[in-house]
Amino acid sequence: MARIIRAEAVSPEEGAFNARELFIQAFGYEPEGVWSAPGRVNVIGEHVDYNGGPCLPIALPHRAYLALAPRADRAVRLISPQTADAIDDLDLDSIGPWGGPRQVPSHWTAYIAGVAWALERDGHGPLPGFDAALWSCVPVGGGLSSSAALECATAVAVDEVCGLGLAGSDEGRRLLVDAARAAENEIAGANTGGLDQTASMRCRAGHALALDCRDMSAEPIPFDLASSGLELLVIDTRAKHSLADGQYGQRRADCEEAARLLGVGQLVEVSDLDAAMSALEGHERLARRTRHVVSEIARTRAFIELMGEGPLEGERLDVAALLLDDSHDSLRDDYEVSCAELDVAVAAARAAGAHGARMTGGGFGGCIVALLPHHLVEPVKQHLAANYQARTGLKEEVFVCTAHEGVSVAKEAV
Ligand code: GLA
């Protein structure tokens, strides 16, 4: 799918309208409804989800809109603006995971068809086929979970048209998250943790989601920076980010190996970092990976606690800034998932006065977040405009981000 080169999200009405129009043009009849789900940005808690640690995502205003209608057979026909001249034709009976005898759907269709496959595998079938049109304004390749948005929009759409009744409760949504994640892991072949799908499915407007990946329990905590005169700026470096390459999997493998050497199930169980460092002597890389994970878990817990203690002001703001800055430095030096573009953007935001800036998401490109007073939004943008492109050859995209609602379970008006 081509990258959408626009930082601003469209309104839900416009997104639903666009998806519906595309559906009618492609298939010649009205969809049953339009469902939507947001991308996410993670405030802190990076590369800890698959180690059982805590994360703190918020849902973006940028959403994937899916117009969908069930069919009488098992065909799945898909269209998006980027492929508008060719409908993708799949068959629920012939798709399956990597390495198996069945056909693996390609690119974005894997996320949609993969959810239906996973729901059936998990005992929620048999499902009918469906026609669906995707229209999304979540930037693709920016590390803002455009794929999770697509998976979660599909999950709630299929849930409703097939009467599965899962999206109405938090317990049911957790099962939909499982299906969305299985589509990503098993059909699209990206072995990610559950952060992105959980954020898209379970975030609440005005709240960040304090997610505990030991058991995937999640608590919405008020996220109102404006009342302290603060903003969260998301800066897309436009350096291409991809999770399907080997680096993400290698980090996971390092963590699993470190946990094995330390005799724990997951790195979240490490309670004494010094002892762990001694035990990993001679395994320098694994020691650095472990130090990132264990320190990031502590930083995230501290940040969540700070948010619960009241507005981020005075000393609390200084501590928050330090936690964000340390998170980036640890991801850059110990976990080695940053890149030159992310580091330049972080340095520029810090130099222009941000109270903390860090890469967010999987890394190797994508976005950074910066916490800053409202009056510094324009100066930071100007500082970036003057410095970032000159140093990287890329033109950044910047938007101020507030916390939005997760999936839309009610059909949008069509
Ligand atoms: C990607 C993955 C998530 C998580 C983050 C890093 O976004 O999809 O599961 O691991 O990277 O925090």
Side-chain angles (χ1 to χ4, degrees):
M1 215 184 303
R3 183 92 179 263
I4 290 178
I5 314 216
R6 174 172 58 188
E8 294 312 318
V10 303
S11 69
E13 294 72 29
E14 190 180 341
F17 177 85
N18 291 344
R20 171 180 176 265
E21 285 293 294
L22 184 62
F23 186 101
I24 294 170
Q25 267 168 32
F27 303 116
Y29 67 99
E30 283 276 350
E32 190 160 316
V34 181
W35 291 261
S36 74
R40 65 95 190 92
V41 70
N42 195 22
V43 180
I44 193 165
E46 220 64 81
H47 283 280
V48 296
D49 60 345
Y50 51 85
N51 289 298
C55 309
L56 191 64
I58 59 175
L60 295 174
H62 304 72
R63 302 178 77 86
Y65 296 86
L66 195 73
L68 183 141
R71 295 173 54 90
D73 57 18
R74 299 266 293 165
V76 172
R77 298 192 302 165
L78 303 173
I79 190 91
S80 84
Q82 284 75 27
T83 57
D85 46 356
I87 293 173
D88 271 274
D89 239 313
L90 305 164
D91 175 356
L92 275 183
D93 289 316
S94 66
I95 63 167
W98 284 84
R102 290 175 158 208
Q103 180 197 342
V104 182
S106 61
H107 309 300
W108 62 282
T109 64
Y111 303 122
I112 297 180
V115 170
W117 168 83
L119 284 168
E120 286 198 325
R121 193 232 8 217
D122 295 347
H124 304 293
L127 300 173
F130 51 87
D131 291 338
L134 162 71
W135 194 95
S136 174
C137 62
V138 186
V140 173
L144 298 174
S145 297
S146 56
S147 57
L150 184 43
E151 291 150 5
C152 291
T154 306
V156 286
V158 171
D159 178 66
E160 186 160 342
V161 299
C162 300
L164 304 182
L166 298 173
S169 68
D170 198 52
E171 203 182 317
R173 285 190 183 197
R174 289 171 70 146
L175 297 174
L176 294 178
V177 166
D178 290 344
R181 187 174 166 188
E184 178 99 27
N185 292 167
E186 295 175 57
I187 302 291
N191 195 20
T192 55
L195 160 64
D196 309 342
Q197 293 78 11
T198 305
S200 185
M201 187 72 73
R202 295 167 72 195
C203 273
R204 304 307 314 267
H207 293 74
L209 196 71
L211 170 65
D212 183 341
C213 296
R214 276 175 301 198
D215 59 1
M216 300 314 266
S217 58
E219 193 194 335
I221 57 170
F223 190 77
D224 174 21
L225 298 177
S227 65
S228 317
L230 294 170
E231 306 280 8
L232 189 72
L233 211 59
V234 176
I235 299 156
D236 185 349
T237 64
R238 307 287 307 286
K240 186 83 181 136
H241 145 103
S242 165
L243 288 173
D245 72 13
Q247 291 290 341
Y248 185 91
Q250 278 176 24
R251 295 304 178 282
R252 281 196 75 145
D254 280 354
C255 291
E256 282 159 20
E257 175 65 359
R260 193 185 65 75
L261 291 171
L262 293 168
V264 294
Q266 283 186 303
L267 290 181
V268 71
E269 293 159 43
V270 173
S271 53
D272 183 339
L273 183 57
D274 291 338
M277 292 299 96
S278 308
L280 289 173
E281 225 167 278
H283 302 276
E284 199 263 337
R285 193 185 73 239
L286 299 186
R288 284 190 289 114
R289 305 293 189 246
T290 303
R291 189 164 57 196
H292 165 70
V293 172
V294 174
S295 63
E296 182 77 353
I297 287 173
R299 282 187 289 273
T300 308
R301 287 184 180 146
F303 199 98
I304 291 171
E305 221 174 284
L306 268 184
M307 299 279 315
E309 284 168 3
L312 286 183
E313 289 165 4
E315 211 173 290
R316 269 205 303 281
L317 181 54
D318 295 341
V319 176
L322 201 64
L323 293 170
L324 295 175
D325 284 344
D326 285 352
S327 169
H328 182 78
D329 297 352
S330 172
L331 286 157
R332 181 192 60 209
D333 301 336
D334 278 346
Y335 218 63
E336 297 179 285
V337 290
S338 189
C339 63
E341 292 86 350
L342 289 167
D343 294 341
V344 169
V346 162
R350 288 178 186 169
H355 293 299
R358 58 178 290 274
M359 55 153 278
T360 182
F364 309 107
C367 291
I368 73 158
V369 284
L371 184 65
L372 68 174
H374 180 73
H375 71 269
L376 280 185
V377 168
E378 283 312 313
V380 167
K381 279 186 181 172
Q382 283 163 17
H383 188 79
L384 279 160
N387 291 283
Y388 180 75
Q389 189 169 5
R391 301 230 6 228
T392 62
L394 295 171
K395 176 79 193 85
E396 77 284 355
E397 285 283 339
V398 184
F399 62 93
V400 168
C401 186
T402 49
H404 288 256
E405 184 69 16
V407 283
S408 151
V409 292
K411 287 185 257 192
E412 314 268 354
V414 291

